[in-house]
Amino acid sequence: MSRAEGGSRLLRSELSLVFGRRRNITLLVGLATVPLLLGIVLFVTQDSALAGQGPGFVGRVTGNGLFLVVSSLVMCLPFLLPLTIGIASGDAIAGEAQAGTLRYLLAVPVSRTRVLVVKAVAALAFAGAAVAAIALMALLSGAVLFGLDDVTLLSGSTVPLGEGVLRIAGVAVYVGLSLTGLVAVGLFFSTLTEVPVGAMAATVVVAIVSAVLDTLPQLAAIHPGLLTHHWLDFAEFLRLEVDWGVLGEGLAVQGAWVAIFASLAWSRFTTADVTS
Amino acid sequence: MTETQPSSPATPPPSSPVAPASATALATPSARRRWAVPAVVATAVAGAFVAPPLLAAAGDASLPEVTPLELLAEVAEAEPMALTGTAVYTARLGLPEIPFAEIAGADPIALLAGSSTIRVWTDGEERSRAALLGPASEYSVVRDGPEAWTYSSEEDAVVHYALSAEDEARYEALADQLRAGPSPEVAGELPTPEEAARLVLDRAEEHSTVSLDAQTTVAGRDAYQLVVTPRSTETLVARVVVAVDAETSTPLRVQVWSTQDEATPALDVGFTDVTFAAPEDAVLEFTAPASATVEEVVVPLPEVTEMERTEGAAKGELPEGVTVAGEGWESVTTLTGLDVAALVAGDPAALASVPGSERTLGSESAQELIGEFLPEDGEGGHPGLSLDGAALYEQLTTEVPEGRLLSSSLLSLLVTEDGRVLVGAVPAETLRGMA
């Protein structure tokens, strides 16, 4: 068995492990019910006095089902998505360590670096699946409940449905990519402990602390570097002229977090004394 | 955890010996060296984020020497350029705490404090768009000759400003003469560096000394810095610094310094990014979205005689109920017969009690500049104001024996109990002394 073959086999088994686990499937289903619930609530109340109101893009949903994608992502971004990422990435190494299976995994003739890469890819895939579950379910329920229409941008211009769908897809992709930093943080925590719950909680705490720090005006100097600071920049896709510089900056910050925490995770994992 | 892990054949006993893989990993001499990798990565990342701004700042602009007056003339003569840019506006007016967190989206009221990002597009002629960016919202002001629109994404509301049909015909006829003149007044206008600079520089020489500061770089472009210092020491304005693009003579940044804060400018609006190219037509066009509520506002085009009167206003012929004491920067405007309470409550009928047009008051002084920066100040209470005007008024002003006082680092405003409003770029004590 060649090394590359071993790696891809490992990846396949890891992916089927992550996506086959009942807890993870439940998580995805749970996330997918958020847009469904939101859509139903808005559908039922659309003739009441409260119609057309709500934070973010909720007020626009009844007019155009496409906005259910954006408002669902906005609702899940502060807590539910970080929680999902925390569970998936925090469990990656620590879960195997706790179950006592890590040393058997390392006995496979594949380098530790490769094992870590496989774990990271699987966690990223799960993060992507979480965003996709929300976005697709929102698109589906939005289309069924409210219908799809030309998209009115934040600037007041209206773009045709095709371009609107592309822009909303851009929003979902950006949200997915802005979670990569958190995946790296979770993976690092996962290499530190044999208690997966600890790594999961620490990952969620990082996201929440980052969001809290982002609201303190006294810390304005460090805001641009915070993990969560650029998360809402997906709104750029809904402006008249998409400023790719703004989006690039947000992704560059995620890249920086990924680089630092992935290298930390690598150092830790390749030097750690694995006993279980 | 009782869940089974398919990647493992069986669950081993807890006291299992060290796995062979880890033994080899520890045996490698590079084990400690591996921890150097994150350090190197972190350093490289920090370098990548810190270095570019430092390099940009280090660029020493060695522009040909000019005198302040030459530069002033160049700015005055320069053709307005078509441009697309992003400007950052920061206000440190020292106003009382306002619950800005209550403002859900992009709203011009946010310009009273903190930093805002504004995108600007203009064709250098009649058409322009300025957009105040919120986290997931936008407030746009679009102008097209005699028409203008504002659009708030948060409220999905359009306000359309236009001339009446007769006025529009007259506008077309007078277009050439009027082009430099009044375009419709928009409530909740957005400040751009160009607009702000024009207001300062137009009459810079009358009551101020003009000098040059060190050359600088704004938005990556070499720029001269004009410093306009009021001759008067009675005003709150210490100086106004305008950075002028060396190539196009377009103002790129305006900083207004208060006498009360030497460290940072009280108002600062400048481009962070600018390109001198005509924007696409789609950007400069505006059609109200189908879902939006549209409010129509007909703006009267001033009669020619009225326009002359407006020009005369600067020479002392003021609308009824308005008096100006003092000159230039230290001038204080007094308005009488105002129903402040109704204005604050946002009663449109009360706007009729405002003597003359707001814009004709003391047009030569800092007041107009401040009017530009504070589109909806304490006395405004525009119908479009989304916050509760009365609550805002309560929060911004403080009780003094003479009435209610709004005191900021650049402007003071005193509303007396007998219905007079005193406003000027002077310390609050001066106003209280005059009341």
Side-chain angles (χ1 to χ4, degrees), chain A:
Chain A
M1 182 170 67
S2 76
R3 292 176 65 104
E5 203 185 323
S8 73
R9 270 186 61 176
L10 194 62
L11 179 61
R12 254 177 291 145
S13 85
E14 178 68 20
L15 284 176
S16 66
L17 170 72
V18 167
F19 286 96
R21 185 171 290 174
R22 192 178 298 163
R23 182 190 64 197
N24 288 355
I25 293 173
T26 315
L27 258 178
L28 290 183
V29 171
L31 283 175
T33 55
V34 170
L36 190 62
L37 279 175
L38 181 63
I40 290 172
V41 167
L42 291 174
F43 185 76
V44 170
T45 58
Q46 66 178 337
D47 294 322
S48 75
L50 293 171
Q53 292 182 20
F57 298 86
V58 169
R60 295 177 173 235
V61 172
T62 47
N64 186 352
L66 260 185
F67 277 103
L68 189 58
V69 179
V70 186
S71 47
S72 304
L73 287 172
V74 171
M75 286 191 101
C76 294
L77 254 185
F79 188 71
L80 283 179
L81 276 172
L83 183 70
T84 310
I85 304 296
I87 290 173
S89 61
D91 191 49
I93 310 285
E96 301 250 12
Q98 193 191 42
T101 52
L102 188 55
R103 64 195 185 107
Y104 293 97
L105 183 61
L106 295 181
V108 176
V110 164
S111 72
R112 286 193 180 196
T113 308
R114 209 171 272 247
V115 170
L116 187 70
V117 168
V118 164
K119 288 287 184 188
V121 169
L124 285 173
F126 188 72
V131 174
I134 298 170
L136 292 176
M137 193 62 198
L139 185 65
L140 189 69
S141 42
V144 170
L145 292 171
F146 307 106
L148 304 181
D149 203 352
D150 294 353
V151 173
T152 300
L153 302 176
L154 292 173
S155 319
S157 309
T158 304
V159 297
L161 181 58
E163 193 189 334
V165 171
L166 277 182
R167 281 175 180 260
I168 302 284
V171 170
V173 169
Y174 182 84
V175 168
L177 288 176
S178 35
L179 295 171
T180 51
L182 194 60
V183 172
V185 171
L187 203 61
F188 171 59
F189 286 151
S190 190
T191 61
L192 292 180
T193 173
E194 291 183 5
V195 186
V197 176
M200 294 175 194
T203 311
V204 179
V205 165
V206 165
I208 289 171
V209 167
S210 171
V212 170
L213 295 183
D214 205 17
T215 61
L216 295 180
Q218 288 83 353
L219 294 175
I222 65 159
H223 282 176
L226 285 177
L227 189 59
T228 55
H229 181 71
H230 300 279
W231 278 8
L232 285 180
D233 285 356
F234 67 76
E236 206 53 47
F237 281 105
L238 300 172
R239 302 197 197 280
L240 189 55
E241 276 189 348
V242 178
D243 187 339
W244 297 101
V246 171
L247 296 171
E249 200 185 316
L251 296 182
V253 169
Q254 292 299 322
W257 281 81
V258 169
I260 292 172
F261 279 88
S263 62
L264 279 172
W266 176 80
S267 302
R268 166 71 188 170
F269 189 60
T270 52
T271 57
D273 186 8
V274 176
T275 57
S276 58

Side-chain angles (χ1 to χ4, degrees), chain B residues 339-350:
Chain B
D339 188 356
V340 176
L343 268 177
V344 160
D347 179 2

Side-chain angles (χ1 to χ4, degrees), chain B residues 314-354:
Chain B
K315 299 181 193 92
E317 298 166 33
L318 293 164
E320 212 176 320
V322 179
T323 51
V324 176
E327 279 208 320
W329 296 94
E330 58 177 280
S331 68
V332 173
T333 307
T334 308
L335 295 89
T336 48
L338 272 181
D339 188 356
V340 176
L343 268 177
V344 160
D347 179 2
L351 283 173
S353 73
V354 179

Side-chain angles (χ1 to χ4, degrees), chain B residues 105-119:
Chain B
D107 189 306
I109 199 85
L111 297 174
L112 284 174
S115 276
S116 316
T117 304
I118 298 169
R119 275 197 202 143

Side-chain angles (χ1 to χ4, degrees), chain B residues 84-95:
Chain B
T84 303
T86 306
V88 170
Y89 165 96
T90 308
R92 300 178 195 87
L93 293 173
L95 290 172

